[in-house]
Amino acid sequence: EKVVAELSDYLQRNLAAMVWLTRIKDGDDYTAKHSINSAILAMGLAHALEWPQEQVGMVGLAALLHDVGNVAVERSILEKPAPLNEAEFEQVQNHPHVGYALLNEEPGVPEAVAKVALNHHERLDGSGYPQGLEGEGIDPISRLVAIVDVYDALTSDRPYRPARSHHDALGSLWRGRGQLFDPEMLETFVDFMGWVVPGTLVRLSDGALAIVEEVNIGRSASPIVRRLVSGALGYEAGRRLDLAEQGDVPGDQRVRIAEVLPDGAHGIKVKSLLVAALSDEDHE
């Protein structure tokens, strides 16, 4: 509620942003909804990162206008239910350049906001577009908006695919942690949004399978897990591991969640394993 009130206040004080939001909505309803969702999520993440209030407002405007270049993309392409051909994909990939140019022509839009329109598809490993920027070469606000942009896109219905669950979307983002997305920002986003609930099947960074047994409040990316051990009759519950409490183990060697797996993966019946593990504890 606080973030929405802040966003409303920033918009009232920034006529250029309001005008551009109207133009975005006229071009494509999905882009307008996606822009508003991204702005709210981006400001929430900026708050969670404890960024200064002035920067939080800049983040909101940047996220709101990051896809403004879509006004130049044919609506039939944005709404196409089938894969794009090469020419159509090139037009979509050009929207960052278009957005940057449009916002640079607007005297009321800060350069930092225009830069996000250009850079929100850049990735840490240089695999993004349009310039193939890497690491620190991507400005912090663009790195932040990249995360919420992908999250909202994945959790929204599109003509070519149904919306993915919150759980699946965060799992997809997590797989790009440190390679595609800023690791600190992504960890904060996961904590901010909430991720691995008890009963979630995961693969750990050391290759082991585990079940999330308990969430550490405020550190949802580092829950208490129950390792799984492969036996003659399938997987059995092994020892507990608190991912948030790993003693003197160096940071780069600490066990983390590497992948969130779908229910039933590897034929594992999560509920029965958890019940058995908790029952064993009761009898100890």
Side-chain angles (χ1 to χ4, degrees), residues 94-149:
N94 194 45
H95 83 271
H97 282 303
V98 173
Y100 181 69
L102 289 172
L103 294 180
N104 259 339
E105 295 171 358
E106 185 69 57
V109 176
E111 168 65 17
V113 171
K115 188 180 291 186
V116 174
L118 180 65
N119 292 338
H120 64 280
H121 282 292
E122 300 289 357
R123 298 294 180 258
L124 294 187
D125 63 358
S127 63
Y129 66 90
Q131 301 176 90
L133 300 179
E134 298 182 29
E136 297 297 319
I138 308 169
D139 63 283
I141 299 181
S142 292
R143 297 204 301 271
L144 185 153
V145 171
I147 292 171
V148 301
D149 174 38

Side-chain angles (χ1 to χ4, degrees), residues 196-216 222-230 235-244 255-257 259 261 268-284:
V196 282
V197 297
T200 301
L201 181 64
V202 299
R203 188 186 308 281
L204 302 177
S205 56
D206 61 4
L209 296 177
I211 298 173
V212 175
E213 192 169 289
E214 186 178 338
V215 175
N216 284 311
S222 301
I224 298 170
V225 302
R226 176 78 63 168
R227 287 180 177 275
L228 299 183
V229 180
S230 181
Y235 284 97
E236 299 175 354
R239 66 183 181 86
R240 296 175 94 225
L241 173 63
D242 188 339
L243 299 183
V255 177
R256 301 174 180 272
I257 293 176
E259 184 179 7
L261 301 174
I268 294 171
K269 297 180 179 179
V270 172
K271 183 178 179 181
S272 59
L273 283 174
L274 274 180
V275 169
L278 295 173
S279 178
D280 287 344
E281 284 188 356
D282 289 340
H283 288 100
E284 291 177 357

Side-chain angles (χ1 to χ4, degrees), residues 23-126:
R23 288 190 60 179
I24 292 170
K25 190 177 187 308
D26 287 344
D28 178 47
D29 281 343
Y30 164 74
T31 302
K33 293 175 183 175
H34 171 63
S35 298
I36 294 170
N37 289 346
S38 296
I40 292 170
L41 291 171
M43 291 175 71
L45 177 52
H47 272 294
L49 289 165
E50 299 182 346
W51 284 10
Q53 190 64 34
E54 181 179 338
Q55 196 168 13
V56 171
M58 191 73 70
V59 165
L61 292 177
L64 189 74
L65 301 177
H66 76 281
D67 263 345
V68 69
N70 278 349
V71 299
V73 179
E74 295 175 24
R75 192 161 187 165
S76 60
I77 294 177
L78 294 174
E79 297 177 352
K80 187 175 180 179
L84 302 180
N85 61 40
E86 186 175 345
E88 292 167 337
F89 190 60
E90 286 180 3
Q91 188 176 151
V92 169
Q93 284 200 312
N94 194 45
H95 83 271
H97 282 303
V98 173
Y100 181 69
L102 289 172
L103 294 180
N104 259 339
E105 295 171 358
E106 185 69 57
V109 176
E111 168 65 17
V113 171
K115 188 180 291 186
V116 174
L118 180 65
N119 292 338
H120 64 280
H121 282 292
E122 300 289 357
R123 298 294 180 258
L124 294 187
D125 63 358

